[in-house]
């Protein structure tokens, strides 16, 4: 997981903690203030630590190299040979304008420049015609709270129907002040800062392995996360790239001029370390001093203790840095090992930064540091005056690092799987970035949340083509998130979202274990309370292992003899299942169940790999081999899967894909309908997962010319996508086009 430092660094710091003098361990463990923890970690960080980082960062080199450029050209030539032109054509006109500007700026031969000017005119004409042929979505829904990429300027913040509450048990949280209908937008937020996740979080495919060279960091802007096939590279490193010179310039001024020389080190130290640094660099000294003031006043004015000022952590300050600064850091709840790893990591990063050059411009002292911001003793190795600023910077970076362990938000998007030119595409959710959201962080967790999140990335290009491309790019909306009510929320009810462990995906004990380990609370939400009672009565072990769905009270397994449902054996000594039909009484051992499920999963994986590797022009053999593997999962055995079992849903979905690659739309739709049954049972009848599955079903009916079935599915899809994604999502536009075609 790239959010944390690389495993070599984690092991190194763990060993450093193990051999640390017991008195120093005791001293470090008892420190109660982040400033003190950071100062202590500085005294414990040595040149040996810096040298070790240097040694392992060599594997993450981001320096520009001619050899690497040659490899990129070879991959480009390979893509050209297999006629993969579609993606390039989609971005041709807009991105060509920037390419032309950069070529002319960097000394393109004057006797050939007229060709570029002709190409510029062609691009502008193409864009102008394309714009005139489209209705402006913003003019149709000027006040709609859609996904934010194609509507007018968003109003960020909390809707009037919700208010910020506070309690010692829950901290800051969001509560409904009025009735809120399902689908209503509760808040719009944008991250204070975000960091792209390197390619190991990329979707699997292309031969069944992760393609590190094709990770999201190579296809998205490192500032606004816009997808681009014509990136603007950083002039100093080979890793960072942008969608435009505007984003490149803004990122350089905000953080990248300090990150650029540390690129490999930041990869070693993980996404959270880099994000904590970015937040601090963006805030600057002035904002940090302002955020610290309420805390200083409480400690430096003893005469006012009878009228103690409000706790700054109990207030919300909109999308300003103060809201970020006062997020809970849980210093005393993190284990000593986690605190030590975080502190040594940031101390090492601080020392690296201090050697790289003068402090950032936003950290120039406009006034003397306050009394509680003094630098550490000379024995810490920091004596120059400007290092006083960096010491405060290091302490704040550590604060944000600790906050992120409980407040980091993954930015999720749907990514196509399989080869680019595969005749049938599927998709799954992937994490493309980690971010810190000032307002979204207010929401507490529930394993059965009453909200739905929709992330958006991209820019809104102006139709006024007299503007330069850079000026058009400056209208970037960047990353945004819309939080919608997934169900009716009554006045006084808390507004909640899921931190990851969901009642539809995970057993109660596993959810509560994960939440305790990362977020330091025992979840007592409605789902946990009800399921715990049910699992205590029925036994959760078999359900967790066999259905992998904590919220489903049935095993989802059928007797291989009579097709009756299999129930968990009530006998203490018998770890297995027994047929619910009294006339049958067939028993299946738990080991046999696990073995059968493992065989089904292996065949499913092989079949999907075969389909995702397929390219146009391949023989028919992979398709039929995939179908053979999928049919083998239905072979008679001691047990079979019920239609509601999640694994059965995956099998039906894969079978639908196999038939679709053959152009057999009717059979494909039939199997996808069965998959939708399992999806609805697993995630709920109002879930976005069901909406996405029904959207694929509508596409299959449309492709097969099944007018009636397609028109009957489209309204259900529209309802679910509007509920979770808003009326401006791309899928709804495609649905409308299908409906118009079918009813013409």
């Amino acid at each position: 997981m790239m959010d944390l430092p690389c495993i070599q660094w984690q092991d190194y710091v763990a060993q450093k903690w193990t051999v640390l003098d017991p008195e120093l361990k005791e001293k470090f463990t008892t420190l109660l203030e982040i400033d003190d923890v950071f100062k202590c970690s500085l005294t414990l960080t040595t040149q040996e630590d810096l040298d070790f980082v240097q040694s392992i960062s060599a594997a993450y080199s981001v320096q520009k190299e001619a050899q690497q450029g040659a490899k990129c050209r070879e991959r480009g030539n390979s893509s050209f040979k297999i006629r993969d032109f579609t993606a390039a054509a989609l971005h041709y006109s807009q991105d060509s304008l920037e390419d032309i500007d950069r070529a002319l700026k960097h000394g393109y031969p004057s006797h050939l420049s007229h060709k570029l000017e002709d190409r510029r005119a062609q691009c502008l004409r193409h864009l102008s015609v394309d714009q005139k042929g489209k209705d402006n979505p913003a003019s149709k829904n000027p006040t709609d709270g859609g996904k934010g990429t194609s509507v007018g300027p968003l109003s960020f913040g909390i809707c009037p129907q919700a208010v910020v509450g506070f309690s010692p048990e829950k901290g800051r949280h969001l509560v409904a002040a009025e009735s809120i209908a399902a689908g209503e937008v509760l808040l719009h937020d944008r991250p204070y800062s975000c960091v792209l996740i390197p390619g190991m979080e990329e979707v699997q495919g292309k031969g069944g392995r992760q393609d590190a060279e094709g990770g999201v960091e190579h296809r998205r802007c490192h500032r606004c996360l816009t997808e681009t096939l014509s990136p603007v590279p950083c002039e100093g490193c080979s890793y960072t790239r942008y969608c435009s010179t505007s984003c490149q310039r803004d990122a350089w001024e905000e953080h990248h001029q300090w990150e650029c020389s540390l690129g490999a080190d930041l990869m070693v130290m993980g996404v959270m370390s880099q994000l904590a640094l970015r937040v601090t660099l963006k805030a600057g000294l002035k904002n940090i001093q302002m955020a610290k003031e309420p805390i200083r006043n409480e400690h430096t004015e003893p005469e006012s203790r009878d009228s103690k000022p409000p706790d700054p952590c109990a207030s919300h300050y909109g999308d300003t840095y103060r809201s970020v600064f006062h997020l809970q850091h849980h210093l005393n709840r993190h284990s000593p090992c986690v605190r030590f790893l975080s502190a040594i990591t940031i101390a090492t990063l601080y020392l690296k930064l201090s050697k790289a050059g003068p402090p950032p411009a936003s950290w120039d002292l406009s006034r003397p540091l306050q009394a509680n911001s003094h630098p550490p003793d000379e024995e810490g190795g920091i004596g120059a005056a400007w290092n006083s600023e960096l010491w405060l910077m290091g302490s704040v970076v550590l604060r944000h690092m600790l906050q992120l362990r409980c407040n980091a938000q993954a930015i999720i998007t749907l990514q196509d799987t399989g080869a680019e030119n595969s005749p049938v595409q599927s998709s799954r959710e992937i994490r493309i970035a980690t971010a810190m959201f000032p307002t979204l962080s207010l929401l507490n967790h529930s394993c059965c949340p009453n909200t739905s999140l929709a992330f958006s990335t991209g820019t809104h290009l102006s139709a006024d083509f007299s503007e330069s491309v850079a000026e058009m790019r400056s209208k970037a909306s960047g990353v945004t998130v819309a939080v919608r009510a997934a169900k009716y929320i009554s006045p006084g009810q808390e507004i909640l979202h899921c931190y990851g462990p969901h009642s539809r995906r995970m057993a109660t004990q596993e959810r509560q274990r994960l939440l305790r380990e990362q977020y330091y609370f025992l979840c007592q939400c409605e789902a946990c309370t009800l399921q715990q009672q049910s699992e205590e009565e029925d036994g959760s072990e078999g359900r967790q292992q066999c259905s992998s769905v904590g919220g489903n009270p049935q095993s989802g397994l059928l007797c291989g003899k009579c097709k009756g449902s299999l129930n968990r054996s009530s006998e203490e000594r018998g770890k297995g299942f027994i047929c619910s039909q009294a006339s049958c009484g067939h028993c299946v051992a738990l080991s046999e169940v696990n073995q059968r499920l493992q065989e089904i999963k292996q065949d499913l994986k092989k079949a999907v790999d075969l389909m995702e590797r397929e390219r146009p022009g391949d023989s028919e053999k992979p398709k039929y081999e995939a179908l053979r593997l999928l049919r083998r999962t239905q072979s008679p055995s001691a047990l079979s899967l019920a239609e509601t079992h999640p694994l059965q849903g995956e099998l039906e979905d894969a079978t639908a894909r196999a038939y679709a690659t053959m152009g057999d739309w009717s059979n494909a739709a039939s199997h996808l309908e069965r998959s939708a049954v399992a999806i609805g049972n697993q995630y709920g009848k109002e879930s976005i997962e069901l909406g996405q599955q029904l959207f694929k079903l509508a596409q299959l009916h449309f492709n097969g010319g099944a007018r009636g079935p397609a028109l009957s599915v489209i309204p259900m899809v529209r309802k679910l996508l509007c509920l979770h994604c808003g009326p401006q999502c791309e899928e709804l536009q495609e649905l409308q086009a299908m409906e118009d075609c079918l009813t013409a």
Side-chain angles (χ1 to χ4, degrees):
M1 179 181 176
M2 283 304 293
D3 279 352
L4 299 176
C6 72
I7 192 66
Q8 298 100 311
W9 178 247
Q10 291 187 52
D11 290 344
Y12 176 86
V13 176
Q15 180 63 24
K16 185 181 178 78
W17 173 255
T18 300
V19 301
L20 192 65
D21 181 87
E23 290 186 5
L24 289 175
K25 272 188 179 181
E26 178 66 21
K27 175 185 176 183
F28 181 87
T29 303
T30 57
L31 295 174
L32 302 178
E33 299 292 336
I34 289 180
D35 287 352
D36 296 332
V37 172
F38 182 70
K39 285 190 285 186
C40 180
S41 66
L42 273 180
T43 65
L44 298 175
T45 304
T46 66
Q47 184 61 45
E48 183 181 353
D49 302 332
L50 273 65
D51 292 341
F52 184 79
V53 169
Q54 189 71 26
S55 68
I56 57 177
S57 66
Y60 301 86
S61 175
V62 296
Q63 299 302 312
K64 290 185 178 291
E65 299 175 0
Q67 185 178 6
Q68 184 65 22
K71 291 180 181 178
C72 291
R73 284 192 295 273
E74 290 175 8
R75 288 194 296 271
N77 291 338
S78 299
S79 297
F80 186 86
K81 288 177 182 178
I82 63 172
R83 306 179 66 81
D84 188 5
F85 308 132
T86 304
L90 292 175
H91 289 262
Y92 167 76
S93 298
Q94 291 174 356
D95 290 328
S96 288
L97 288 172
E98 288 195 6
D99 293 339
I100 291 167
D101 286 342
R102 291 198 296 273
L104 293 173
K105 178 181 177 182
H106 290 84
Y108 194 79
S110 58
H111 67 284
L112 297 175
S113 61
H114 68 280
K115 294 185 177 181
L116 292 186
E117 295 295 349
D118 289 343
R119 182 61 56 84
R120 187 206 299 272
Q122 292 173 16
C123 291
L124 288 172
R125 282 197 299 272
H126 177 82
L127 285 171
S128 181
V129 170
D130 183 62
Q131 184 70 22
K132 290 177 182 178
K134 297 178 180 178
D135 290 325
N136 184 357
S139 65
K140 292 183 179 180
N141 298 282
T143 61
D144 177 70
K147 294 185 79 173
T149 56
S150 56
V151 297
L154 289 175
S155 176
F156 291 98
I158 303 167
C159 73
Q161 295 94 327
V163 294
V164 178
F166 176 81
S167 72
E169 298 78 20
K170 296 182 178 181
R172 294 180 296 180
H173 55 278
L174 211 56
V175 179
E178 305 173 14
S179 297
I180 300 175
E184 283 194 43
V185 177
L186 301 171
L187 67 87
H188 271 122
D189 199 12
R190 52 191 163 195
Y192 192 82
S193 191
C194 63
V195 172
L196 268 173
I197 296 173
M200 56 178 51
E201 292 281 341
E202 179 62 296
V203 205
Q204 293 202 5
K206 308 210 174 18
R209 64 178 179 85
Q210 291 180 324
D211 188 356
E213 296 293 346
V216 293
E217 78 277 15
H218 296 281
R219 298 203 301 262
R220 289 185 178 270
C221 175
H222 284 221
R223 182 174 182 271
C224 72
L225 307 189
T226 300
E227 275 197 295
T228 177
L229 296 173
S230 181
V232 179
C234 170
E235 296 181 359
C237 67
S238 63
Y239 175 73
T240 308
R241 59 206 70 195
Y242 304 96
C243 65
S244 65
T245 53
S246 175
C247 268
Q248 180 192 39
R249 181 183 62 251
D250 292 344
W252 182 261
E253 293 174 355
E254 185 177 282
H255 58 258
H256 193 61
Q257 59 182 310
W258 311 109
E259 290 183 354
C260 191
S261 62
L262 301 176
D265 298 330
L266 289 170
M267 287 191 174
V268 167
M269 295 177 182
V271 168
M272 282 189 181
S273 299
Q274 185 174 4
L275 180 52
L277 176 62
R278 278 193 186 179
V279 170
T280 307
L281 289 171
K282 179 178 179 179
L285 179 62
K286 183 177 179 181
N287 281 325
I288 289 171
Q289 287 179 324
M290 290 174 61
K292 288 171 70 74
E293 281 178 0
I295 300 177
R296 281 203 308 271
N297 290 342
E298 182 177 341
H299 290 286
T300 58
E301 297 179 12
E303 68 277 8
S304 63
R305 288 195 180 274
D306 292 338
S307 56
K308 189 175 181 180
D311 183 354
C313 296
S315 303
H316 179 58
Y317 307 95
D319 61 356
T320 65
Y321 174 71
R322 185 170 294 201
S323 289
V324 173
F325 185 87
H326 290 298
L327 290 171
Q328 294 290 340
H329 50 71
H330 298 297
L331 173 65
N332 297 326
R333 293 193 176 188
H334 295 298
S335 69
C337 291
V338 168
R339 267 182 280 168
F340 191 73
L341 173 63
S342 301
I344 294 297
T345 299
I346 299 306
T348 304
L349 176 60
Y350 157 73
L351 291 173
K352 287 272 188 179
L353 188 63
S354 68
K355 294 175 184 296
S362 62
W363 282 77
D364 284 343
L365 283 178
S366 58
R367 55 178 177 170
L369 286 174
Q370 301 298 322
N372 69 333
S373 298
H374 56 81
D377 297 333
E378 289 298 321
E379 64 191 50
I382 307 302
W386 55 269
N387 279 329
S388 300
E389 307 158 36
L390 286 183
W391 168 79
L392 177 58
M393 176 191 290
S395 178
V396 175
V397 174
L398 176 58
R399 179 187 187 93
H400 293 317
M401 174 74 166
L402 295 172
Q403 288 173 332
L404 283 166
R405 294 188 69 90
C406 296
N407 291 284
Q409 174 66 53
I411 296 177
I412 305 295
T413 188
L414 283 177
Q415 178 75 38
D416 289 338
T417 62
E420 290 288 342
N421 287 332
S422 175
V424 175
Q425 286 286 340
S426 188
S427 61
R428 73 171 185 179
E429 287 187 339
I430 61 165
R431 298 175 59 211
I432 61 170
T434 299
M436 182 176 273
F437 286 89
T439 306
L440 181 60
S441 296
L442 290 172
L443 271 61
N444 283 330
H445 167 82
S446 171
C447 299
C448 53
N450 52 16
T451 60
S452 180
L453 273 60
F455 294 96
S456 171
T457 64
T459 59
H460 176 57
L461 292 179
S462 170
D464 182 4
F465 297 107
S466 63
E467 293 181 303
S468 69
V469 174
E471 288 172 331
M472 290 193 291
R473 291 287 192 183
S474 70
K475 299 182 184 298
S477 60
V479 185
T480 62
V481 61
V483 179
R484 290 181 170 81
K487 59 183 76 170
Y488 170 77
I489 302 176
S490 59
Q493 188 176 354
E494 187 176 357
I495 297 169
L496 303 159
H497 88 117
C498 181
Y499 290 179
H502 197 288
S503 62
R504 295 281 184 174
R505 301 176 178 87
M506 196 179 296
T508 307
Q509 292 180 359
E510 179 68 5
R511 295 199 312 270
Q512 293 187 336
R513 181 186 66 80
L514 291 173
L515 291 168
R516 277 197 304 269
E517 288 178 358
Q518 183 169 353
Y519 298 101
Y520 308 113
F521 69 88
L522 176 64
C523 186
Q524 296 292 338
C525 69
E526 180 182 3
C528 284
T529 303
L530 293 176
Q531 289 176 20
Q532 203 162 17
Q533 294 173 355
S534 175
E535 289 173 1
E536 286 173 357
E537 297 173 1
D538 301 335
S540 62
E541 182 179 357
R543 182 161 57 255
Q544 182 177 346
Q545 293 195 32
C546 298
S547 73
S548 300
V549 183
N552 185 359
Q554 304 299 324
S555 72
L557 303 176
L558 300 179
C559 174
K561 290 187 175 181
C562 70
K563 299 303 178 185
S565 62
L566 289 177
N567 295 334
R568 179 73 177 174
S569 174
S570 59
E571 295 182 14
E572 290 292 332
R573 57 183 176 82
K575 285 195 173 183
F577 294 83
I578 186 169
C579 181
S580 60
Q581 301 294 324
S583 58
C584 177
H586 180 60
C587 296
V588 185
L590 182 60
S591 59
E592 188 176 352
V593 170
N594 289 335
Q595 180 180 350
R596 177 59 179 155
L597 292 178
Q598 189 61 34
E599 291 171 352
I600 293 174
K601 290 176 182 177
Q602 288 174 354
D603 285 344
L604 174 62
K605 184 180 185 304
K606 290 177 183 177
V608 171
D609 286 345
L610 282 168
M611 289 186 284
E612 291 187 348
R613 285 202 305 265
E614 184 189 6
R615 295 184 180 275
D618 285 353
S619 68
E620 297 291 306
K621 185 176 179 180
K623 303 174 185 177
Y624 289 104
E625 176 63 15
L627 262 181
R628 185 189 68 80
L629 289 169
L630 292 168
R631 286 170 179 158
R632 190 166 74 179
T633 64
Q634 306 296 332
S635 60
S637 67
L639 62 91
S640 59
L641 303 178
E643 66 173 4
T644 56
H645 195 286
L647 190 53
Q648 184 64 28
E650 293 183 49
L651 290 169
E652 297 290 358
D653 181 82
T655 305
R657 290 179 63 185
Y659 278 115
T661 61
M662 302 175 182
D664 189 346
W665 306 112
S666 177
N667 260 325
S670 177
H671 283 278
L672 201 66
E673 285 175 347
R674 298 173 200 166
S675 175
V677 171
I679 294 291
N681 183 74
Q682 180 180 1
Y683 296 107
K685 302 300 182 184
E686 300 292 321
S687 65
I688 182 59
E689 290 84 0
L690 180 59
Q692 291 165 346
Q693 200 72 354
L694 292 177
F695 176 73
K696 291 194 293 184
L697 181 60
Q699 290 176 312
L700 291 178
H701 285 317
F702 180 82
N703 291 341
R707 182 177 179 274
L711 290 175
S712 67
V713 172
I714 286 174
M716 294 186 285
V717 182
R718 181 179 289 118
K719 174 188 173 184
L720 292 175
L721 293 183
C722 276
L723 175 65
H724 295 282
C725 304
Q728 294 297 327
C729 71
E730 294 178 2
E731 292 82 359
L732 284 175
Q733 297 175 26
E734 183 177 338
L735 275 181
Q736 187 61 53
M738 286 193 287
E739 191 173 46
D740 291 344
C741 181
L742 292 169
T743 56

